[in-house]
């Protein structure tokens, strides 16, 4: 929520500086989003006087001005404004000044062969209004200010404060509520609420309620004989500070009261109504064009404000375009109703429609502020537009019953850890609007729907007293060595994360939600939100790769030549969530150099190497893994694979991403990726944290080489596993050290040479032992169709 400093001070009598105010806002739970001063952009502009004005020698519609802005010499300026004339006082931008309304920086230029330095500015060019027919003309009294900054002269120095309001603080959805909190925190005094005593005559409007669940209370009055025009400068300035565009006095009044008091209102043009108004359920299929010029189809669960002709507004969310006020409006009906928060939330979600009114009603506006809301709005309408007010028609009853909570001052220290003097606690609660009765029976104000128990009262006291005052008290710790708290799964995840980072990859953290479009290439999402904060964050991710690919694309777009990213997170499938490590490699694996020549790109083997290293660090039995074929539709066929323990237990998938996948994700170029399924890794649960004692072998290892002729399409890993399976006790390692293909081994064949390492433990191996083991190796290889090469 945005508001200007002067707007805040209209409710808060304070001498506190801007910094003190912004620091205190964060201290009391109203997190500061930022502070901007619109005057900063206008400080370079100066009050200036046109001392000469003559025709341009080469253009009929241009003038040649001499402008005095207090500099040593006047500026020569070519100007096309029709109201430019000698003697006028205006606003001048010298060369080098940035023009916010036109988005360019002034430079000396030649216009029709005549040099021009700087420019006299219009209101639109300074973003002070929409007027662009001529340059700003200041009163003659400004002559004494020539050379001064226009921002200082016009008193535009009014910082805009942006505060994040959490959903439970509905009372701070108006500037007055924020002022109340600051006053309670000791930064001044809350000014009395100015509610005028309106002179009313005549009967109130015809209003009724047919939907008491959705609209428990409906108040309204009419004001006849109004003249609708532009709202005054002070109101426009406040609305602009909040990001609102001024429209007309009647519309601006409703927006102003919404932001100022947190009380949404609506004004109807009576001439556009057909009979009285009623708050009723919408009819199934009923349509309404709202003030945003969009048509909405309503259903019978929604509350609308309607007349005899049909619905004229979506109750508590947005009015209809058909009955909006304009410059011809003379008689208005002011609506001030209370709408049920749950009904408003459901309607807004169904229609996917947000508004300032919905934000406030679904959090819960003050149900006791109906009369004051009507009086304040009526006073503003009469002050700005004139007219005669009718009596107020009151229909229904708002839920104004106040909650009473039993409290004791000692609960503050017991729950919050901060011992606050009881008198100080009482002062804080009273300043926030609570009534402290006998025996600490606390009556909750109607505007604090969020306070339901004594725990909430403790929170109120401590946040105003200061969360920074809570002493840091360590928890008691038993003597001795602390017991381990991390599970084997958590330890494996930590080791895998460290291994990935140690291998030069950068960790990213992405949202667990992605769009339906991003989920589609990976099989689509199982879980989707019915009311996401954004359509791009709707589906719980079935894979970590969409977020990693998007991150890789952002890095590539910013010129990164080698991208190595990984993420440790969760995938969300039908049954549950699955801990996973995802990685994406793109761009150059190795940069060009005088030794290697051109740069090399990442391929599937690079992804496999990373996967094996991370699996090994996590404790997976990498020596027992089998490399199966293609990894899935989102990988490139023939350039991907899976690592498994047996045919069904998949520990990882890797490979080059399919071109259709990268295209769907908006990634340009080739990328390789992998996913490691941490929950599939078999982990040994040790009873202690001591490492196994190092026991080096007492006997020397022996190596033997075997060369086999096998089918050309036989995976080398299958042969290695078969060889190692000949004797799992003696054979400690086996690796391929040579590959040969040629006519001598036969068509469709290849020769694979395997080095086998034997590690005796009890006795030195004899020739008979070695021959017996060699026979077993050959026998195991023969089962794969291998033939010992002569």
């Amino acid at each position: 929520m945005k508001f200007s400093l002067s707007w805040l001070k209209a409710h808060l009598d304070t001498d506190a500086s801007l910094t003190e105010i912004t620091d205190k806002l964060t201290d009391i739970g109203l997190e500061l989003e930022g502070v901007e001063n619109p005057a900063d952009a206008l400080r370079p502009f100066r009050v200036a006087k046109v001392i000469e004005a003559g025709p341009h020698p080469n253009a009929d519609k241009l003038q040649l001005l001499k402008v005095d802005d207090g500099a040593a010499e006047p500026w020569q300026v070519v100007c096309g404004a029709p109201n430019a004339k000698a003697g006028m006082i205006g606003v001048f931008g010298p060369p080098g000044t940035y023009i916010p309304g036109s988005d360019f920086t002034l430079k000396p230029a030649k216009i029709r062969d005549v040099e021009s330095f700087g420019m006299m500015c219009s209101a639109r060019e300074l973003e002070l209004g929409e007027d662009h027919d001529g340059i700003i003309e200041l009163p003659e009294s400004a002559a004494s200010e020539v050379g001064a900054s226009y921002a200082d002269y016009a008193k535009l120095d009014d910082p805009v404060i942006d505060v994040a309001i959490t959903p439970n603080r509905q009372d701070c959805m108006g500037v007055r509520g924020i002022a109340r909190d600051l006053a309670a925190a000791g930064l001044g005094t809350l000014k009395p609420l100015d509610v005028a005593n309106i002179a009313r005559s005549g009967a109130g409007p015809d209003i009724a309620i047919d939907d008491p669940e959705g609209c428990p209370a409906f108040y309204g009055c009419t004001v006849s004989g109004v003249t609708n025009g532009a709202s005054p400068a002070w109101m426009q300035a406040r609305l602009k500070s909040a990001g609102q565009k001024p429209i007309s006095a009647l519309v601006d009044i409703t927006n102003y009261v919404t932001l100022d008091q947190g009380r949404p209102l609506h004004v109807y043009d009576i001439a556009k109504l057909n009979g009285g108004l009623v708050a009723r359920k919408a009819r199934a299929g009923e349509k309404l064009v709202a003030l945003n010029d969009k048509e909405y189809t309503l259903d019978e669960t929604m509350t609308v404000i309607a007349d005899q002709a049909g619905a004229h507004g979506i109750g508590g969310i947005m009015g209809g375009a058909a009955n909006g006020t304009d410059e011809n409006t003379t008689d208005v009906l002011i609506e001030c109703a209370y709408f049920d928060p749950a009904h408003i939330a459901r309607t807004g979600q169904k229609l996917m429609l947000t508004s300032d009114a919905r934000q406030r009603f679904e959090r819960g506006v003050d149900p006791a502020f109906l009369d004051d809301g009507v009086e304040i709005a009526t006073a503003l309408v009469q002050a700005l537009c004139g007219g005669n007010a009718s009596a107020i028609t009151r229909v229904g009853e708002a839920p104004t019953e106040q909650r009473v909570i039993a409290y004791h001052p000692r609960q503050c220290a017991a729950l919050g850890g901060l011992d606050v003097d009881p008198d100080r606690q009482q002062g804080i609660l009273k300043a926030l609007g609570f009534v402290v009765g006998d025996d600490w029976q606390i009556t909750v104000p109607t505007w604090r729907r969020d306070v339901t128990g004594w725990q909430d009262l403790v929170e109120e006291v401590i946040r105003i007293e200061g969360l920074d005052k809570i002493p840091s008290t360590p928890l008691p710790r038993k003597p001795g060595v602390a017991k381990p708290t991390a599970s084997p799964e958590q330890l494996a995840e930590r080791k895998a994360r460290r291994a990935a980072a140690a291998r030069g990859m950068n960790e990213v953290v992405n949202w667990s939600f992605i769009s339906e479009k991003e989920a589609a290439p990976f099989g689509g999402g199982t879980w989707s939100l019915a009311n996401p904060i954004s359509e791009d964050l709707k589906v719980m991710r079935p894979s970590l790769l969409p977020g990693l690919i998007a991150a890789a694309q952002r890095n590539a777009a910013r010129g990164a030549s080698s991208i190595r990213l990984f993420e440790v997170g969760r995938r969300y499938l039908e049954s549950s969530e699955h801990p996973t490590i995802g990685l994406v490699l793109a761009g150059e694996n190795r940069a060009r150099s005088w030794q290697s020549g051109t740069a090399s790109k990442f391929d599937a083997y690079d992804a496999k190497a990373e996967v094996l290293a991370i699996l090994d660090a996590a404790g997976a039995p990498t020596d027992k893994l089998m490399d199966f074929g293609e990894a899935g539709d989102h990988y490139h066929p023939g350039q991907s694979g899976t690592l498994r323990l047996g045919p069904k237990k998949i520990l990882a998938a890797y490979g080059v991403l399919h071109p259709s996948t990268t295209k769907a994700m908006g990634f340009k170029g080739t990328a390789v990726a992998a996913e490691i399924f941490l929950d599939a890794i078999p982990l040994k649960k040790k009873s202690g944290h001591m490492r196994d004692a190092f026991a080096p072998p007492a006997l020397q290892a022996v190596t033997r080489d075997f060369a086999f002729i096998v089918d050309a399409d036989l995976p080398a890993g299958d042969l290695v596993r078969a060889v190692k399976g000949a004797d799992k006790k003696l054979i400690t390692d086996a690796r391929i050290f040579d590959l040969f293909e040629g006519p001598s081994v036969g068509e469709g064949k290849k020769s694979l040479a395997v080095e086998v390492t034997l590690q005796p433990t009890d006795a030195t191996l004899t020739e008979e032992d070695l021959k017996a083991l060699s026979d077993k190796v050959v026998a195991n290889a023969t089962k794969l169709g291998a033939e010992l090469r002569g």
Side-chain angles (χ1 to χ4, degrees):
M1 179 175 169
K2 293 183 177 182
F3 53 91
S4 63
L5 180 61
S6 64
W7 194 351
L8 177 68
K9 289 186 175 182
H11 293 281
L12 182 68
D13 188 0
T14 181
D15 294 327
S17 67
L18 175 64
T19 301
E20 289 173 327
I21 290 172
T22 54
D23 288 347
K24 185 60 69 175
L25 284 169
T26 298
D27 289 345
I28 61 179
L30 303 175
E31 184 180 353
L32 182 71
E33 293 279 293
V35 178
E36 295 180 356
N37 192 343
D40 292 341
L42 302 182
R43 293 196 193 283
F45 296 90
R46 303 170 190 166
V47 177
K49 182 175 182 178
V50 179
I51 54 178
E52 289 183 17
H56 189 289
N58 302 320
D60 294 337
K61 294 184 179 181
L62 298 178
Q63 294 190 73
L64 197 58
L65 312 180
K66 286 194 177 298
V67 177
D68 176 18
D69 71 338
E73 296 291 335
W75 300 93
Q76 179 171 283
V77 177
V78 175
C79 180
N83 65 330
K85 60 183 183 293
M88 74 175 294
I89 313 295
V91 181
F92 176 70
T97 304
Y98 175 74
I99 308 297
S102 303
D103 191 25
F104 69 87
T105 300
L106 291 171
K107 297 178 181 179
K110 278 191 174 183
I111 301 175
R112 293 292 185 93
D113 296 328
V114 176
E115 287 188 317
S116 179
F117 302 89
M119 68 181 294
M120 298 294 288
C121 302
S122 68
R124 185 191 294 178
E125 287 160 342
L126 301 187
E127 295 187 334
L128 296 175
E130 295 300 318
D131 185 11
H132 195 57
D133 294 334
I135 57 178
I136 296 173
E137 189 168 357
L138 301 178
E140 293 183 5
S141 59
S144 60
E145 301 291 335
V146 168
S149 168
Y150 174 69
D152 295 336
Y153 163 78
K155 295 182 173 55
L156 299 175
D157 201 352
D158 192 8
V160 175
I161 303 168
D162 188 3
V163 176
I165 308 296
T166 53
N168 64 313
R169 293 306 308 277
Q170 69 281 344
D171 59 306
C172 287
M173 290 300 286
V175 178
R176 184 167 182 81
I178 295 172
R180 182 189 296 112
D181 260 25
L182 289 171
L187 250 63
T189 305
L190 184 66
K191 296 180 180 179
L193 181 63
D194 184 14
V195 180
N197 187 14
I198 304 296
R200 298 180 177 277
S201 61
D206 177 15
I207 57 178
I209 296 176
D210 284 350
D211 178 21
E213 290 184 355
C215 179
F218 187 179
Y219 288 18
C221 77
T222 62
V223 183
S224 57
V226 301
T227 302
N228 192 20
S231 57
W234 65 268
M235 182 176 285
Q236 291 194 29
R238 291 181 182 180
L239 291 176
K240 288 177 182 177
S241 72
Q244 294 273 1
K245 181 181 178 181
I247 298 173
S248 69
L250 290 172
V251 175
D252 293 352
I253 287 169
T254 61
N255 291 334
Y256 177 74
V257 176
T258 297
L259 298 170
D260 187 58
Q261 301 290 338
R263 158 38 73 180
L265 300 162
H266 192 67
V267 174
Y268 298 87
D269 187 336
I270 293 178
K272 298 177 182 179
L273 297 178
N274 186 0
L277 292 180
V278 59
R280 62 166 172 82
K281 292 291 188 186
R283 302 184 181 96
E286 191 169 11
K287 297 182 184 297
L288 172 71
V289 177
L291 286 171
N292 60 3
D293 293 326
K294 294 183 180 179
E295 185 177 75
Y296 295 92
T297 302
L298 312 177
D299 64 39
E300 60 275 11
T301 67
M302 302 174 183
T303 303
V304 296
I305 305 297
D307 63 8
Q308 295 177 9
H312 283 295
I314 305 169
I317 299 179
M318 190 172 288
N323 55 59
T325 59
D326 54 37
E327 66 276 7
N328 299 316
T329 298
T330 58
D331 302 308
V332 297
L333 187 155
I334 301 173
E335 168 211 307
C336 185
Y338 179 83
F339 296 95
D340 177 67
H343 282 72
I344 293 294
R346 287 193 293 268
T347 299
Q349 290 166 7
K350 284 184 178 181
L351 298 177
M352 301 297 290
L353 176 59
T354 60
S355 67
D356 289 329
R358 175 192 166 184
Q359 286 183 328
R360 286 157 178 80
F361 276 120
E362 72 180 354
R363 296 178 186 216
V365 302
D366 183 2
F369 201 77
L370 292 168
D371 272 309
D372 286 346
V374 174
E375 295 287 357
I376 291 171
T378 305
L380 286 170
V381 169
Q382 288 187 321
L384 305 185
C385 306
N388 299 310
S390 74
I392 299 174
T393 302
R394 300 173 179 85
V395 182
E397 186 174 347
T400 57
E401 183 179 352
Q402 292 180 269
R403 190 179 298 110
V404 178
I405 300 172
Y407 180 70
H408 197 286
R410 64 170 174 266
Q411 291 172 320
C412 182
L415 180 64
L418 184 62
D419 191 6
V420 181
D421 184 85
D423 289 340
R424 171 63 177 153
Q425 293 190 48
Q426 186 178 69
I428 290 173
L429 292 172
K430 285 183 175 180
L432 290 172
F434 295 85
V435 177
V436 182
D438 296 336
D439 298 327
W440 288 89
Q441 297 295 308
I442 310 297
T443 302
V444 181
T446 53
W447 59 80
R448 291 305 302 270
R449 181 169 172 258
D450 58 306
V451 177
T452 60
W454 65 266
Q455 298 88 345
D456 298 315
L457 297 174
V458 171
E459 179 186 358
E460 292 300 299
V461 170
I462 288 183
R463 74 178 180 87
I464 297 299
E465 182 67 10
L467 293 170
D468 57 325
K469 294 183 180 179
I470 300 176
S472 298
T473 306
L475 294 172
R477 185 171 182 175
K478 293 182 179 181
V481 179
K483 292 184 179 180
T485 57
S487 66
E489 291 78 11
Q490 290 171 323
L491 292 172
E493 183 177 303
R494 293 175 188 175
K495 292 175 182 177
R497 176 184 274 110
R498 290 174 186 151
R503 291 181 65 81
M505 287 186 281
N506 296 308
E507 184 174 10
V508 300
V509 179
N510 288 307
W511 293 106
S512 295
F513 297 97
I514 59 177
S515 67
E516 290 180 333
K517 181 181 178 182
E518 290 173 321
F522 301 89
T526 303
W527 305 98
S528 297
L529 295 181
N531 183 37
I533 60 174
S534 167
E535 284 297 310
D536 292 334
L537 299 172
K538 184 176 183 178
V539 179
M540 298 188 78
R541 60 186 179 188
S543 167
L544 271 64
L545 297 185
L548 285 165
I549 297 170
Q553 177 57 34
R554 289 193 295 272
N555 280 268
R558 286 160 176 77
S561 59
S562 181
I563 301 167
R564 304 165 186 257
L565 303 177
F566 80 97
E567 181 178 10
V568 181
R570 301 291 187 267
R571 296 176 301 133
Y572 300 90
L573 305 180
E574 269 190 47
S575 56
S576 60
E577 59 183 60
H578 298 268
T580 306
I581 296 179
L583 61 93
V584 167
L585 309 173
E588 298 177 353
N589 179 17
R590 196 168 46 249
R592 63 179 182 174
S593 71
W594 63 273
Q595 294 171 310
S596 61
T598 59
S600 64
K601 303 291 184 180
F602 287 105
D603 57 27
Y605 295 108
D606 295 313
K608 182 179 180 181
E610 300 296 344
V611 167
L612 287 171
I614 295 171
L615 284 172
D616 187 61
T622 52
D623 57 331
K624 299 178 182 179
L625 295 179
M626 295 181 288
D627 197 340
F628 277 68
E630 298 165 5
D633 292 341
H634 52 278
Y635 286 100
H636 201 296
Q639 299 184 49
S640 62
T642 58
L643 296 174
R644 311 188 185 201
L645 280 173
K648 295 183 179 180
K649 195 173 184 63
I650 303 175
L651 268 62
Y654 68 90
V656 178
L657 289 171
H658 197 283
S660 64
T661 301
T662 53
K663 182 179 180 181
M665 296 296 299
F667 185 86
K668 298 177 181 179
T670 302
V672 300
E675 284 189 290
I676 300 170
F677 312 123
L678 292 173
D679 52 348
I681 299 176
L683 300 174
K684 295 180 180 178
K685 296 184 178 180
K686 297 183 179 180
S687 57
H689 285 263
M690 296 287 291
R691 291 183 179 180
D692 295 333
F694 177 61
L699 301 174
Q700 185 175 352
V702 179
T703 60
R704 287 291 183 269
D705 296 344
F706 298 84
F708 296 99
I709 297 175
V710 299
D711 291 338
D713 59 355
L714 179 72
D718 290 356
L719 180 62
V720 170
R721 276 188 293 276
V723 169
K724 292 176 73 174
D727 192 320
K728 295 181 179 180
K729 184 177 180 182
L730 279 178
I731 298 176
T732 58
D733 191 24
R735 67 182 186 88
I736 302 291
F737 70 89
D738 183 60
L739 165 67
F740 175 74
E741 294 176 303
S744 61
V745 297
E747 186 177 352
K749 298 289 185 178
K750 63 183 176 182
S751 172
L752 293 175
V754 186
E755 179 187 76
V756 181
T757 301
L758 311 173
Q759 179 59 65
T761 56
D762 300 327
T764 302
L765 296 175
T766 64
E767 285 297 324
E768 291 77 10
D769 295 333
L770 292 173
K771 184 177 185 312
L773 185 60
S774 297
D775 291 342
K776 289 183 180 180
V777 168
V778 173
N780 272 20
T782 303
K783 294 177 182 178
L784 297 177
E787 178 184 350
L788 187 67
R789 187 176 177 185

